[in-house]
Amino acid sequence: MHKRSLIKRDLVRNRHIYLMLVPVLVYYGIFHYGPMYGLLIAFKDYGMADGVWGSPWVGLTHFQNFFENPYFWRLLRNTLTISLYELLFAFPAPIILALLLNELRVVMFKRVVQTISYLPHFISIVVVAGMMVDFFARDGLINSIVSFFGYEPIAFWQESGWFRSLYVSSGIWQGIGWGSIIYLAAMSSIDPTLYDAARIDGAGRWKQTLNITIPGIMPTIVILFILNVGSMLAVGSEKIILLYNPLTYETADVISTYVYRKGILGADFGYSAAVGLFNSVISFILLILANTISKRVSEHKLW
Amino acid sequence: MTYKRSTGEKVFACFNVCFMILLCFATLYPFIYILFASLSNPAEIASYRGLLFLPQGFSLDAYKAVIENPMVMTGYRNTLLYVVGGTLINLFMTTLGAYALSRPHVYFKNHIMLVIVITMVFSGGLIPSFLLINNLGMLNTPWALLLPGAINSFNLIIMRTAFQSIPVSLEESARIDGANDWTIMTRIIIPLSMPVIAVMILWYAVGHWNSYFNALIYLRDRELFPLQLVLREILISNSTDNMMTGAATGDRMDIGITIKYATIIVSTLPILVLYPFLQKYFVHGVMIGALKE
């Protein structure tokens, strides 16, 4: 009784706050939890007319079809290799850049380099992909340099062997500067007296980097690494569908692009929703695994 | 404070500076190349090989073709509408959520935060989202680009943190004078949080300017296409044909190339021009986010 009157008083006094929350909750309900509910169609034979609830259940048929699909292994392999390339090359690149930027003595120069290196982050992927397609075309800029050195021009976009390198390296070009900001922020929060003490002990820049800077940014590195492992299967389709073509499907077709072709272009909704769900579930398992391993090994963790 | 550097460190410093100069060159050169190529004479650039350090000849024909192209101009207009409309919706919704959840005494506040954080980890994915938009009747309407991303949860959390850091004493006197939460938000909290709001405006606006994927999925009507989708057709699908109707057949291929470059410049120009002035705000935002973590 007493509690109820308290709630009533709170509802009256804070009515504006609760009113403000209404559109926010409605938004999350419709646009975030709506699609989660819609995932039910992964277990159904979805028909537009029947709706999500009315369509008949089919159990795990869609998943079974996907696992038996001749392209299943190719999709899984491509998704994992592209992510692995990114973990090996694109993940360390901003860390190395941040460490190198940290060694620059002239503040003005450092600021100019930073400003320039952030720029590609703000260019749309359509433009980046368009520039890549053009520069690496058979008669493009890169091939004119290749033939200047006396080699045969390379058909970069027709040979599947090149796709992963082009995809990952253009990602590094676009993201290296922006990615370094978070590490520079972590470096700026390292206690400067540590460096003074090391200098008195006779440690040079290299020793200082190795023993103070890198341990100082380790928590940030580990957390971002865990997040990266968690998104390994989530290789985005946005950039790949701009760059790939049937000739390079052999290495370029990943799970998300397959979902796009089957679902959006092919209107096979139940099946492609199931493929998407498979992707998310494996991603989530990877995230938990990475976090658990990191907790055991390094004591750094996401949660 | 002077500190004597060893020879190894001096050599390293030298290499480091060289590396940074190389990095800047690799970052900027693609844009410089495209700018010069777009200003070049189409026939000369078509037969040109190798790096470009000045325009080959000079011609503004490509820019004329781009500006006269109805698709590019419609795309530009649509993108401006989506950027302005979308960012206004983003700001309104994000501020409401951030303010309400930054207040100390709200029932179920932690539950609501959990509801929000869950969506940062789990999502329905592409197909259920598409079907939802379809069922809501928003397919092939601008709403499909404006509403689904109305709140970026990460931004909401950054904004909430900023609101929480404003001392309570500032609003207490207003409350004694009878101000309600709406007044406190619009008259006290928002004016005091302009730096963070500027960051939000920039992030949301750039996001809208650059996004193409939602438009690709949700829009069919070419009259609604944003600039990025028009760009995709021109750059990736190689369809400059409809822009070259005026050109004689022999020049068709040639001018096609410069049209591509001119389109890139025209569509990226606003960002390239505004970028140097705005970049400190962008970085400021990342710092706020990083401190939160």
Side-chain angles (χ1 to χ4, degrees):
Chain A
M1 179 59 207
H2 186 59
K3 195 173 177 200
R4 187 178 289 172
S5 71
L6 265 180
I7 292 179
K8 204 182 244 173
R9 221 173 63 195
D10 178 76
L11 276 178
V12 173
R13 198 172 59 185
N14 289 333
R15 61 187 181 283
H16 286 95
I17 295 181
Y18 293 111
L19 270 178
M20 286 175 192
L21 279 173
V22 170
V24 175
L25 289 175
V26 168
Y27 164 75
Y28 275 99
I30 294 178
F31 290 105
H32 288 272
Y33 288 89
M36 283 189 217
Y37 164 72
L39 268 178
L40 279 180
I41 65 166
F43 308 96
K44 287 180 169 233
D45 182 19
Y46 182 73
M48 281 276 184
D50 301 324
V52 174
W53 195 246
S55 302
W57 294 92
V58 292
L60 297 174
T61 319
H62 293 313
F63 293 91
Q64 204 177 345
N65 287 343
F66 179 51
F67 299 142
E68 286 164 5
N69 188 303
Y71 291 126
F72 172 72
W73 288 109
R74 187 176 88 176
L75 291 167
L76 196 63
R77 186 197 67 209
N78 287 345
T79 313
L80 286 174
T81 0
I82 289 184
S83 320
L84 221 56
Y85 269 47
E86 289 197 313
L87 274 187
L88 281 178
F89 300 106
F91 180 74
I95 303 175
I96 295 168
L97 179 67
L99 289 171
L100 292 177
L101 280 169
N102 198 37
E103 297 303 314
L104 291 178
R105 295 304 178 79
V106 187
V107 179
M108 200 50 207
F109 180 65
K110 183 178 166 185
R111 205 163 284 163
V112 170
V113 174
Q114 282 178 275
T115 305
I116 291 176
S117 71
Y118 302 157
L119 174 65
H121 174 79
F122 298 102
I123 305 301
S124 78
I125 40 174
V126 179
V127 168
V128 173
M131 296 201 294
M132 289 293 288
V133 167
D134 190 82
F135 289 157
F136 288 88
R138 202 183 278 269
D139 55 353
L141 177 62
I142 301 297
N143 265 326
S144 71
I145 295 168
V146 168
S147 46
F148 175 79
F149 285 105
Y151 295 98
E152 280 295 299
I154 302 163
F156 288 103
W157 300 115
Q158 283 77 44
E159 288 171 22
S160 58
W162 282 98
F163 187 85
R164 287 186 279 244
S165 315
L166 293 171
Y167 177 82
V168 175
S169 58
S170 63
I172 294 177
W173 179 81
Q174 196 173 12
I176 185 169
W178 191 252
S180 71
I181 297 178
I182 194 159
Y183 298 108
L184 288 168
M187 282 175 199
S188 66
S189 65
I190 296 174
D191 183 0
T193 56
L194 289 175
Y195 291 103
D196 295 337
R199 211 169 295 150
I200 290 163
D201 289 344
R205 293 298 303 178
W206 172 243
K207 279 270 168 66
Q208 292 175 28
T209 304
L210 214 58
N211 295 317
I212 301 173
T213 315
I214 293 181
I217 61 172
M218 207 32 126
T220 312
I221 296 180
V222 172
I223 283 172
L224 289 181
F225 187 82
I226 296 172
L227 286 173
N228 265 274
V229 171
S231 58
M232 267 183 83
L233 281 203
V235 173
S237 53
E238 287 201 22
K239 197 165 124 197
I240 292 186
I241 60 172
L242 293 172
L243 292 175
Y244 77 170
N245 60 61
L247 290 173
T248 47
Y249 278 1
E250 185 55 34
T251 56
D253 196 16
V254 296
I255 298 177
S256 60
T257 52
Y258 182 69
V259 171
Y260 168 75
R261 281 204 313 280
K262 280 284 167 191
I264 305 294
L265 303 181
D268 194 350
F269 296 121
Y271 174 69
S272 48
V275 177
L277 181 59
F278 165 79
N279 204 356
S280 320
V281 169
I282 304 287
S283 294
F284 190 61
I285 293 173
L286 280 175
L287 182 71
I288 291 173
L289 263 180
N291 193 52
T292 315
I293 292 172
S294 163
K295 237 191 307 198
R296 292 258 168 81
V297 178
S298 70
E299 291 171 6
H300 298 305
K301 58 185 196 295
L302 197 56
W303 68 84
Chain B
M1 181 168 62
T2 51
Y3 148 73
K4 220 163 170 267
R5 289 194 286 173
S6 71
T7 326
E9 283 168 9
K10 279 180 194 157
V11 173
F12 168 77
C14 186
F15 270 108
N16 198 9
V17 169
C18 294
F19 171 78
M20 291 299 168
I21 292 172
L22 204 69
L23 179 82
C24 291
F25 178 78
T27 306
L28 289 181
Y29 187 73
F31 300 109
I32 296 171
Y33 179 91
I34 285 168
L35 179 67
F36 287 164
S38 70
L39 292 168
S40 296
N41 185 316
E44 283 180 54
I45 196 75
S47 56
Y48 187 83
R49 288 278 166 274
L51 296 176
L52 196 61
F53 291 101
L54 270 180
Q56 296 296 303
F58 183 79
S59 154
L60 288 175
D61 290 351
Y63 285 92
K64 235 175 85 189
V66 171
I67 289 170
E68 283 168 4
N69 180 271
M71 273 310 282
V72 173
M73 283 303 114
T74 319
Y76 230 99
R77 192 202 61 202
N78 290 339
T79 291
L80 283 177
L81 288 176
Y82 300 150
V83 167
V84 173
T87 308
L88 283 176
I89 293 174
N90 290 143
L91 279 182
F92 179 73
M93 294 291 286
T94 313
T95 315
L96 278 191
Y99 177 80
L101 293 167
S102 72
R103 298 300 92 189
H105 308 292
V106 177
Y107 276 104
F108 304 116
K109 189 173 68 172
N110 292 334
H111 297 90
I112 295 172
M113 279 312 290
L114 185 68
V115 162
I116 291 175
V117 170
I118 285 175
T119 65
M120 296 169 82
V121 185
F122 298 101
S123 82
L126 181 67
I127 304 304
S129 305
F130 173 81
L131 293 175
L132 175 78
I133 297 299
N134 186 24
N135 292 336
L136 291 172
M138 300 202 299
L139 211 60
N140 207 16
T141 69
W143 297 112
L145 307 187
L146 301 176
L147 292 182
I151 299 179
N152 176 319
S153 303
F154 185 71
N155 289 353
L156 184 140
I157 290 173
I158 290 179
M159 212 154 159
R160 172 177 178 253
T161 313
F163 288 173
Q164 277 171 337
S165 68
I166 295 171
V168 189
S169 54
L170 283 171
E171 53 171 273
E172 269 168 1
S173 58
R175 231 177 255 283
I176 291 167
D177 291 344
N180 60 36
D181 275 292
W182 181 260
T183 322
I184 288 171
M185 181 177 88
T186 51
R187 297 284 171 79
I188 298 175
I189 303 292
I190 292 178
L192 284 172
S193 312
M194 278 329 270
V196 98
I197 290 175
V199 172
M200 295 297 136
I201 294 178
L202 291 173
W203 279 5
Y204 278 129
V206 171
H208 285 293
W209 182 276
N210 281 341
S211 84
Y212 89 96
F213 196 68
N214 282 347
L216 176 72
I217 297 171
Y218 297 136
L219 299 183
R220 297 280 168 275
D221 186 356
R222 296 173 62 85
E223 282 299 304
L224 294 174
F225 277 11
L227 186 59
Q228 298 298 332
L229 215 50
V230 180
L231 267 182
R232 172 178 172 268
E233 293 190 344
I234 295 171
L235 299 178
I236 314 283
S237 324
N238 272 318
S239 63
T240 46
D241 297 348
N242 57 352
M243 281 202 216
M244 297 182 287
T245 38
T249 36
D251 302 332
R252 283 177 72 99
M253 273 305 290
D254 298 346
I255 195 164
I257 300 169
T258 48
I259 285 177
K260 267 191 181 187
Y261 295 138
T263 328
I264 292 182
I265 295 293
V266 167
S267 65
T268 317
L269 204 61
I271 286 180
L272 290 179
V273 169
L274 291 175
Y275 172 72
F277 304 102
L278 299 180
Q279 69 90 19
K280 66 174 176 193
Y281 295 105
F282 285 119
V283 175
H284 178 70
V286 177
M287 293 295 190
I288 302 174
L291 293 179
K292 180 73 182 76
E293 282 180 33

